């Protein structure tokens, strides 16, 4: 009916505006060092980021973040934050997920960052995972993980969501 069509057009407009707002926010936030990082520390900054994205996206996102503030050198912490930011951006933009989770666990020898969603999964073509510029942001995630000597594992099945697991080895001699 005409009413349904109008409603569809209306939702499409809202969706477009929300997407533009997210893009603008992303462009601005990428240019700046997030103040939350300095003010709250890495662990709380990640929790705040997850909350913000959940509110903006209607996706039910949870965070289980151990205290990883001192696990990384201060100048490198931003990379962990950006990995989470990029992964959440992927979930919002590409996954059609209704739920997602970000978890960070710390052991004596490593930090394990896990980001999962219940969305549609990655494209089945293998190039989707390592694709060039942007390749679903996974290229950037992998590069940042490598900067921290981390290893990225991706598990994804069509229709069964995506799981990113990044293992960061901890340096034995902590440089503060």
């Amino acid at each position: 009916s005409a009413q349904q069509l109008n409603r569809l057009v209306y939702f499409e407009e809202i969706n477009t505006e929300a997407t533009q707002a997210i893009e603008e926010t992303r462009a601005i936030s990428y240019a700046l060092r997030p103040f939350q990082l300095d003010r709250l520390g890495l662990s709380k900054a990640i929790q705040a980021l997850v909350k913000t994205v959940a509110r903006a996206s209607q996706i039910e996102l949870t965070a289980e973040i151990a205290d990883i503030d001192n696990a990384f050198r201060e100048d490198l912490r931003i990379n962990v934050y950006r990995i989470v930011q990029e992964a959440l951006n992927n979930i919002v933009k590409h996954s059609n997920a209704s739920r997602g989770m970000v978890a960070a666990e710390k052991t004596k020898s490593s930090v394990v960052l896990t980001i999962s969603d219940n969305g549609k999964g990655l494209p089945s073509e293998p190039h989707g995972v390592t694709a060039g510029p942007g390749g679903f942001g996974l290229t950037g995630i992998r590069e940042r993980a490598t900067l921290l000597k981390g290893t990225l594992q991706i598990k994804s099945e069509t229709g069964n969501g995506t799981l990113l697991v990044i293992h960061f080895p901890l340096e034995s001699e902590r440089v503060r």
Side-chain angles (χ1 to χ4, degrees), residues 43-57 59-65 81 84-85 88 100-103 115:
S43 302
K44 286 197 173 78
I46 290 172
Q47 285 169 337
L49 176 63
V50 172
K51 269 197 189 114
T52 303
V53 174
R55 274 200 307 267
S57 69
I59 299 173
E60 192 184 307
L61 293 168
T62 53
E64 292 174 21
I65 312 296
Y81 183 88
V84 175
Q85 192 174 38
L88 289 173
M101 195 192 59
V102 179
I115 302 158

Side-chain angles (χ1 to χ4, degrees), residues 9 11 14-16 28-29 47-48 51 61 90 93 95 98 101 112 117 133 144 158 162 169 172:
V9 169
F11 281 124
I14 290 174
N15 190 25
T16 304
I28 293 165
S29 67
Q47 285 169 337
K51 269 197 189 114
L61 293 168
N90 288 345
K93 281 179 91 170
S95 75
S98 60
M101 195 192 59
V112 180
D117 68 70
R144 287 182 190 278
T158 306
T162 302
S172 43

Side-chain angles (χ1 to χ4, degrees), residues 102-154:
V102 179
E105 299 165 76
K106 189 177 170 192
T107 67
K108 281 195 175 82
S109 60
S110 68
V111 167
V112 180
L113 181 64
T114 309
I115 302 158
S116 61
D117 68 70
N118 68 345
K120 64 183 181 186
L122 294 170
S124 50
E125 310 87 69
H127 73 261
V129 172
T130 52
F136 287 110
L138 290 172
T139 308
I141 289 173
R142 186 174 274 119
E143 284 166 6
R144 287 182 190 278
T146 304
L147 278 175
L148 298 166
K149 299 180 176 58
T151 53
L152 168 65
Q153 293 169 293
I154 302 166

Side-chain angles (χ1 to χ4, degrees), residues 10-29 56-57 89 92-93:
Y10 176 67
F11 281 124
E12 192 56 46
E13 283 173 13
I14 290 174
N15 190 25
T16 304
E17 283 188 32
T19 304
Q20 284 172 342
I22 289 170
E23 284 299 321
E24 284 174 31
T25 307
R26 188 173 176 220
I28 293 165
S29 67
S57 69
N89 185 57
V92 170
K93 281 179 91 170

Side-chain angles (χ1 to χ4, degrees), residues 78 80 114 121-122 166:
I78 187 150
V80 180
T114 309
L122 294 170
I166 308 170

